[in-house]
Amino acid sequence: MINVFGSLVGREELEEIRTSLEAQWMGIGPKTAAFEKQFAQRLGLRDFALLDSGSNSLYLAMKLLDLPPGSGVVLPSFTWIACAHAVVLAGCRPIFCDVDLETQNVTPETVERAMTPDTRAVMVVHYGGLPVPVEAFERFRVPIVEDAAHAVDSKHNGRYCGSMGDVGIYSFDAIKNLAMGEGGGLTAKDPARVTRARQLRYCGIGKSGFEASANKDRWWEYNISDFFPKMLPSDIAASIGLAQLRKLDAMQAVRKKYWEIYQKELAPVSWLSRPVDAPAGDTHSYFTYCIRVAGGKRYALAKHLYQKGVYTTLRYHPLHMNPIYKSTAKLPVTERLNEEALSIPLHPGLSEADIAKVIAEIKAFRA
Ligand SMILES: Cc1ncc(COP(=O)(O)O)c(C=O)c1O
């Protein structure tokens, strides 16, 4: 089966893990610190805290905003569950908004339509790695949480995604552009927020055992600053991340090459719509290649591809349609995407022959 998402790991990752294991150090430690520094340098971030997942990073991001209980937070419905869970877990109320059909991203207009008098924050998601012009949302005068889970290598106006909002989060799970099995992290405009994230991430203790041993007489005692779950990264994950950072440019070049092959080869296929690339000057991370198939043919196409050994999927099942959120929102574009959108295989673990097979099977499809 040609998988829709994936990563490319090998000798370099094994070598980084080996040195951690030989040092008998698996938990948070020097590799975590090295990853945090190198990641921040690459993206031009003032500071960056590594965490155990992007989902937990979203919750921590919401916590850092310190919003009054019950505050409304506008976010797209066409996103990952943890975006809305983070809002709820922080004691706030998710207000789902629509996205643009072509970009699958929120726009100031879709956010404005959803805004309520009690809206205290907006969450922006760079869907599939296509950058959202974050500055356009500053006019709402509320804090912006930027979800750059798909956009680790995306740029807008020369700035990396995740660095433009008040708090930005990343994901490094097993299928992301930079993968470490499970992992995520957070940056913020105000560096005090990243310092606080580091205090919170180990059950609110303030310091990990690794950090606490320096210059303190009674280093075994805790100074608990808050009630918070454990979200610590491990040096094993950070080791994989360090190797992936060194390979990121090469892996991104492969994603871009495959994206461009799809764009060229699928252009003559009149019954599908291709995704849009980033505008001139901006950079797409090419996390997904999401096509649209109208006329009720999407399901048949997905099934045809599956039978031919090509796995596809839809990211995401709209959140507002999930009863758990008790939403009454009507979001026509999101609901249309739910019927028409389909992500086809794109990741650096694929070969050009795999991409050619996907294209051939799409072209062979007859509804
Ligand atoms: C838009 C978005 N945000 C956040 C996350 C959460 O990342 P993680 O899988 O690291 O928890 C994901 C995961 O796919 C995502 O797609």
Side-chain angles (χ1 to χ4, degrees), residues 74-76 97-100 103-115 119-127 130-147 156-157 164-166 189:
V74 174
L75 76 159
C97 74
D98 218 342
V99 289
D100 176 73
T103 65
Q104 289 107 45
N105 273 335
V106 293
T107 67
E109 292 70 35
T110 66
V111 167
E112 187 154 31
R113 278 204 296 276
M115 293 286 273
T119 297
R120 298 279 176 275
V122 171
M123 191 183 285
V124 165
V125 180
H126 303 283
Y127 180 85
L130 177 66
V132 176
V134 175
E135 73 284 355
F137 298 80
E138 286 168 2
R139 69 174 158 97
F140 297 118
R141 302 195 175 282
V142 293
I144 299 169
V145 172
E146 212 188 326
D147 181 335
H156 170 62
N157 277 349
M164 296 175 275
D166 291 272
K189 242 183 214 160

Side-chain angles (χ1 to χ4, degrees), residues 275-346:
V276 295
D277 204 343
D282 284 4
T283 310
H284 200 305
S285 74
Y286 308 113
F287 174 55
T288 60
Y289 190 91
C290 185
I291 60 172
R292 285 185 288 119
V293 184
K297 283 191 244 164
R298 190 265 321 259
Y299 175 70
L301 172 67
K303 213 167 159 199
H304 160 80
L305 291 173
Y306 186 83
Q307 281 160 354
K308 299 291 180 186
V310 177
Y311 189 73
T312 60
T313 191
L314 170 64
R315 290 284 191 279
Y316 294 89
H317 181 221
L319 297 181
H320 76 285
M321 299 172 83
N322 197 313
I324 195 170
Y325 298 113
K326 299 186 174 68
S327 173
T328 54
K330 294 273 173 287
L331 306 174
V333 174
T334 300
E335 287 163 29
R336 181 168 164 191
L337 288 169
N338 190 39
E339 298 306 318
E340 297 184 0
L342 191 69
S343 283
I344 64 173
L346 177 65

Side-chain angles (χ1 to χ4, degrees), residues 52-58 78-83 125-127 147-150 169-176 181-184 287 315-316:
D52 61 353
S53 75
S55 298
N56 279 344
S57 306
L58 283 163
F78 198 57
T79 189
W80 171 234
I81 300 159
C83 296
V125 180
H126 303 283
Y127 180 85
D147 181 335
H150 302 175
I169 74 98
Y170 301 90
S171 162
F172 310 121
D173 74 18
I175 56 154
K176 292 291 170 12
E182 290 290 356
F287 174 55
R315 290 284 191 279
Y316 294 89

Side-chain angles (χ1 to χ4, degrees), residues 222-235:
Y222 307 129
N223 179 22
I224 306 165
S225 65
D226 213 328
F227 300 99
F228 205 71
K230 184 175 164 184
M231 296 186 180
L232 281 187
S234 79
D235 263 21

